[in-house]
Amino acid sequence: MQHRTSPSAFALLIGIADRLDAKYATKAVSERLVLAQALVVAEELHGPTPEAEDAEQAILHLLPAVTGQTRGEYSTQLRLVAVGVSL
């Protein structure tokens, strides 16, 4: 299945990165935290709407694997993905 990526998906990645950098950047990131932040930033952009759910789903395949990074390291990876770098 091929995923289409909208420009707002990249904005969501940056939003997640900003949130991870803002608090405890040196603490370990968890997959659960990343998934929760994906929902939060989608709802911040679209409100609690079906569009927020669609936006969240659109970015899930873009998220790098969580492999023991700090929140700051993971946010850097998100920023790279947002500008088109494949990890």
Side-chain angles (χ1 to χ4, degrees):
M1 177 176 171
Q2 188 173 17
H3 297 279
R4 288 185 292 151
T5 306
S6 71
S8 69
F10 297 110
L12 292 174
L13 292 177
I14 297 299
I16 295 168
D18 289 346
R19 293 177 70 87
L20 292 175
D21 274 340
K23 230 177 194 181
Y24 310 114
T26 60
K27 289 182 87 173
V29 72
S30 69
E31 184 174 352
R32 191 164 52 182
L33 173 63
V34 172
L35 295 176
Q37 293 304 318
L39 175 60
V40 168
V41 297
E43 285 193 350
E44 284 179 346
L45 183 63
H46 297 286
T49 63
E51 288 79 13
E53 282 186 46
D54 292 344
E56 178 190 14
Q57 291 301 311
I59 66 167
L60 291 180
H61 73 280
L62 297 173
L63 296 173
V66 175
T67 58
Q69 307 93 318
T70 66
R71 294 174 183 198
E73 291 165 340
Y74 194 83
S75 71
T76 298
Q77 289 179 316
L78 290 174
R79 292 176 200 289
L80 290 171
V81 170
V83 296
V85 174
S86 295
L87 300 177

